[in-house]
């Protein structure tokens, strides 16, 4: 056999055993009379000892080993004289009697260490080497454990895992599709699924009333730290349920995962409406690890002759506790932050409540002390607090202040990655207006059911119709979302009409689904979690790339295998595709 044990399991209980280990050379140390080599596999690291007095030829062989050589050693487990309590095998070492080099290695382009000297681009190119590093490998182990826990929980709730097709039909709604040409159907294309949405609804029509799948999805969209062109969802659908049933069941899933994986009790998830989330945080995915809720002060600050406030649709601010001592340089830095093109604010107004109670603002020439006191009172500001205020168009200003709030949370250390705050956001708008196309689009997707009490508004005030939809947010990241679906053909046709589909377009794109609804479709709803995002939160990471074995870079490229790439003219001819250069 190649090995009797792994490099992470031998302890003092194994003293005297004859063992065989295999792994990669981590490092070697030549101390004159002795040579020590650390051998590593995915389970850990074990020190090997080569003694000149016992076998000089073997020691010469050991000295020739380079980093990342693959070796097989036989020997005896002995007690280590200089112990390392930081590793499981730190009390023992192997007195080597035989060494085989299974494969030599070139010198790696970066150190295979927890703290490496390799930049991200280099590590992405040699991802198979990067995966040897403990932090990266541990992320994949964590991913595996979460996937197994998800399956265990859902299996216990009577869910069935069903695989849905990867080659499907392109649809006009949502993000851009990745398309695949069909050789046997010239001029026609498959699309890779952005989600299995219609298929899981068809599974509900089929009577498989609880479905789930850890499924690959594909979206041809601009990339960020939390986006990849291909990603994984925990995709779920249930029949004969209302919104409350789904919230309770999947709140249970999140509690189960945090308890099993992190040993953390999340407890009952609070719920906030979309309208309140935007009003209090300027975001539909608020980070509630800290407070700093918005305070609107239009009535208080308008009419004092300060044009920025007098001409604003909204005046709104936050209170940063204990920040009155901020210097002018620090305040200027905050102003520069909100003026960045990505945020787009024109400025920032502040009010200091000094430790002695003195009030000082950046607009003192427009407001007297009594007005400043009322201003401070509106924010419930105490001595030592700093109030930061922005003004302008209501929607833009809320988004800009949200960015400032998150930045203040970072600067004050309030966004602790080891603290977890989860909540549900509910009552989203069903539709949102798109100026470019001059029509409404579904905020989630066109199969989302409106709130029953709002259906009458579809003809008169479509923008006010609320969706029977819900998102789960953890630490300011949307990790999951779903809705109760439309299961009636007539209502689905009405929805397509309000979304600007002609009858012919709706039939061409989704006729199969509406046909299925005529054969006894049950009430149903579902949810999908971004599995990569969820794992990154558990791992305390900002980027989902670090929890994916072979991710793409920010340009959507796999630099390791150099993909995407051109294909041969012969292949293009077979596919009946003409490419203009």
């Amino acid at each position: 056999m190649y090995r009797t044990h792994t490099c992470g399991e031998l302890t003092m209980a194994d003293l005297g055993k004859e063992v065989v280990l295999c792994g990669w050379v981590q490092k070697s140390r030549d101390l004159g009379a002795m040579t020590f080599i650390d051998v590593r596999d995915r389970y850990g690291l074990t020190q090997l000892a080569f003694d000149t007095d016992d076998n000089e030829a073997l020691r010469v062989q050991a000295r020739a080993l380079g980093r990342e050589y693959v070796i097989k050693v036989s020997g005896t487990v002995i007690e280590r004289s200089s112990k390392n309590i930081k590793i499981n095998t730190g009390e023992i070492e192997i007195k080597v009697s035989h060494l085989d080099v299974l494969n030599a290695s070139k010198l790696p382009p970066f150190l295979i260490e927890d703290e490496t000297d390799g930049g991200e681009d280099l590590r992405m190119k040699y991802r198979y080497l990067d995966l040897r590093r403990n932090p990266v490998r541990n992320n994949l182990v964590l991913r595996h454990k979460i996937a197994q826990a998800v399956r265990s929980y859902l299996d216990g709730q009577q869910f069935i895992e069903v695989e849905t097709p990867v080659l499907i039909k392109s649809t006009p709604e949502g993000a851009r599709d990745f398309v695949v040409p069909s050789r046997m159907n010239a001029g026609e294309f498959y699309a890779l699924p952005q989600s299995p949405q219609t298929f899981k609804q068809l599974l509900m029509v089929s009577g498989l009333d609880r479905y789930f799948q850890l499924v690959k999805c594909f979206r041809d969209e601009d990339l960020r730290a939390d986006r990849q062109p291909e990603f994984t969802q925990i995709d779920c659908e249930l029949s004969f349920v209302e919104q409350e049933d789904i919230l309770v069941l999947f709140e249970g899933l999140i509690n189960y995962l945090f308890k099993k994986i992190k040993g953390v009790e999340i407890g009952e998830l609070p719920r906030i409406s979309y309208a309140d989330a935007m009003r209090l945080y300027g975001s539909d995915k608020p980070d509630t690890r800290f407070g700093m809720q918005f305070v609107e002060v239009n009535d208080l600050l308008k009419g004092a002759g300060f044009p920025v406030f007098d001409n604003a649709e909204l005046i709104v601010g936050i209170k940063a506790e204990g920040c009155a001592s901020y210097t002018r340089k620090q305040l200027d830095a905050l102003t520069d932050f909100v003026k960045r093109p990505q945020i787009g604010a024109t400025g920032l107004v502040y009010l200091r409540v000094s430790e002695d109670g003195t009030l000082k603002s950046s607009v003192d020439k427009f407001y007297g002390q009594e007005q400043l006191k009322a201003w401070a009172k509106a924010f419930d500001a105490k001595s030592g607090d700093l109030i930061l205020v922005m003004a302008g168009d209501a929607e833009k200003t809320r988004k800009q202040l949200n960015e400032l709030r998150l930045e203040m949370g970072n600067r004050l250390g309030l966004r602790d990655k080891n603290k977890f705050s989860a909540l549900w956001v509910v009552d989203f708008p069903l539709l949102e207006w798109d100026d470019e196309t001059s029509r409404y689009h579904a905020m989630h997707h066109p199969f989302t059911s409106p709130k029953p009490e709002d259906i009458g508004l579809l003809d008169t005030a479509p923008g006010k119709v609320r969706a029977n939809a819900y998102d789960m947010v953890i630490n300011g990241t949307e990790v999951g979302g779903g809705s109760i679906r439309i299961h009636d053909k007539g209502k689905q046709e009405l929805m397509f009409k309000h979304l600007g589909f002609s009858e012919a377009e709706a039939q061409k794109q989704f006729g199969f689904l509406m046909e299925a609804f005529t054969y006894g479709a049950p009430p149903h709803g579902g949810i999908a979690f971004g599995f990569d995002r969820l794992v990154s939160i558990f791992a305390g990471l900002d980027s989902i790339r670090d929890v994916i074995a072979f991710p793409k870079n920010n340009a959507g490229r796999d630099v390791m295998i150099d993909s995407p790439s051109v294909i041969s003219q012969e292949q293009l001819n077979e596919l009946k595709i003409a490419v203009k250069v």
Side-chain angles (χ1 to χ4, degrees), residues 363-390:
V363 286
D364 278 354
K365 62 186 286 188
F366 298 101
Y367 298 94
Q369 281 295 303
E370 289 305 312
Q371 291 170 300
L372 295 180
K373 285 180 182 178
W375 184 347
K377 184 179 179 181
F379 285 83
D380 192 27
K382 306 292 190 297
S383 295
D385 291 346
L386 175 69
I387 296 170
L388 300 169
V389 175
M390 301 178 74

Side-chain angles (χ1 to χ4, degrees), residues 27 58 88 159 214 220 239 250 259 277 352 392 395 405 447 475 489 500 537 555 565:
K27 64 176 64 172
L58 183 63
N88 294 336
F159 281 78
L214 267 69
D220 188 6
S239 293
F250 289 98
K259 180 66 176 176
R352 283 197 188 98
E395 184 177 350
R405 175 181 177 269
F447 316 109
N475 293 359
K489 180 184 178 184
I537 288 173
S565 60

Side-chain angles (χ1 to χ4, degrees), residues 75-245:
T76 307
V77 181
I78 62 174
E79 185 172 359
R80 185 168 166 172
S81 57
S82 178
K83 294 180 171 59
N84 180 357
I85 61 172
K86 294 181 180 179
I87 60 175
N88 294 336
T89 61
E91 293 184 292
I92 61 94
E93 63 189 15
I94 308 302
K95 184 177 181 181
V96 178
S97 58
H98 186 78
L99 164 66
D100 288 324
V101 176
L102 301 179
N103 214 333
S105 172
K106 293 194 300 183
L107 185 67
F110 54 85
L111 287 174
I112 312 297
E113 302 275 3
D114 289 2
E115 298 296 328
T116 183
D117 58 351
E120 184 175 15
D121 290 342
L122 186 63
R123 289 186 291 109
M124 288 278 279
K125 182 175 181 179
Y126 296 95
R127 183 64 167 178
Y128 49 87
L129 296 180
D130 198 31
L131 288 170
R132 293 182 188 175
R133 296 172 52 239
N134 287 326
V136 186
R137 184 179 61 250
N138 289 343
N139 290 340
L140 295 190
V141 172
L142 175 65
R143 183 185 180 101
H144 163 76
K145 288 180 177 178
I146 295 175
Q148 295 304 102
V150 167
R151 286 190 165 97
S152 175
Y153 178 85
L154 294 176
D155 180 64
Q157 297 292 330
Q158 308 302 315
F159 281 78
I160 301 171
E161 186 166 11
V162 181
E163 295 177 42
T164 53
V166 174
L167 296 175
I168 66 167
K169 184 177 187 175
S170 183
T171 60
E173 293 293 307
R176 296 182 188 90
D177 286 328
F178 282 103
V179 294
V180 180
S182 171
R183 179 182 60 82
M184 293 182 290
N185 301 277
E188 296 185 324
F189 295 81
Y190 300 105
L192 301 181
Q194 296 183 32
S195 88
Q197 182 61 46
T198 55
F199 288 100
K200 64 181 180 178
Q201 291 190 249
L202 291 171
L203 287 172
M204 296 305 100
V205 178
S206 75
L208 295 176
D209 65 338
R210 290 197 168 195
Y211 140 93
F212 87 98
Q213 185 181 188
L214 267 69
V215 59
K216 277 284 189 183
C217 301
F218 307 85
R219 292 179 188 171
D220 188 6
E221 58 186 356
D222 295 336
L223 305 183
R224 300 194 301 247
D226 62 346
R227 286 182 180 174
Q228 283 276 294
E230 55 179 304
F231 57 95
T232 305
Q233 284 186 178
I234 308 169
D235 198 61
C236 306
E237 197 79 4
L238 307 84
S239 293
F240 306 113
V241 290
E242 296 177 332
Q243 177 173 299
E244 185 65 21
D245 301 310

Side-chain angles (χ1 to χ4, degrees), residues 227-388:
R227 286 182 180 174
Q228 283 276 294
E230 55 179 304
F231 57 95
T232 305
Q233 284 186 178
I234 308 169
D235 198 61
C236 306
E237 197 79 4
L238 307 84
S239 293
F240 306 113
V241 290
E242 296 177 332
Q243 177 173 299
E244 185 65 21
D245 301 310
I246 292 177
L247 298 191
V248 170
L249 197 153
F250 289 98
E251 190 168 307
L253 171 63
I254 289 300
N255 272 282
Y256 177 81
L257 292 178
F258 271 101
K259 180 66 176 176
K260 187 171 182 64
I261 304 297
K262 301 287 288 184
V264 171
E265 296 280 358
I266 292 293
E268 185 176 348
L269 271 62
R271 302 176 189 182
I272 185 172
S273 70
Y274 171 87
D276 283 345
M278 297 304 295
R279 179 176 60 85
L280 295 173
Y281 300 100
S283 171
D284 60 0
K285 43 183 180 294
D287 187 343
T288 52
R289 283 174 291 182
F290 63 105
M292 230 179 277
Q293 291 184 348
F294 291 7
V295 178
E296 297 180 11
V297 284
N298 279 33
D299 294 343
L300 191 63
L301 298 183
K302 275 183 177 284
F306 180 45
V308 173
F309 285 173
D310 289 347
N311 299 327
E313 182 183 1
L314 176 69
I315 310 169
V316 62
I318 56 174
K319 176 182 69 177
E321 295 182 1
C323 294
S325 60
Y326 267 34
T327 64
R328 182 59 184 267
K329 184 178 179 180
Q330 287 174 301
L331 291 168
D332 286 345
L334 289 178
T335 303
D336 291 340
F337 173 80
V338 299
K339 284 183 172 181
R340 288 164 43 191
Q342 304 95 307
I343 298 175
T346 56
L348 181 65
V349 174
Y350 67 84
L351 170 64
R352 283 197 188 98
V353 184
S354 302
E355 293 293 346
D356 61 4
T358 304
L359 300 172
K360 175 67 178 174
S361 82
S362 54
V363 286
D364 278 354
K365 62 186 286 188
F366 298 101
Y367 298 94
Q369 281 295 303
E370 289 305 312
Q371 291 170 300
L372 295 180
K373 285 180 182 178
W375 184 347
K377 184 179 179 181
F379 285 83
D380 192 27
K382 306 292 190 297
S383 295
D385 291 346
L386 175 69
I387 296 170
L388 300 169

Side-chain angles (χ1 to χ4, degrees), residues 450-462 465 494 498:
K451 287 276 186 179
E453 59 268 34
D454 290 355
I455 290 177
L457 295 173
L458 276 170
D459 288 320
T460 58
V465 179
L494 180 64
H498 283 285

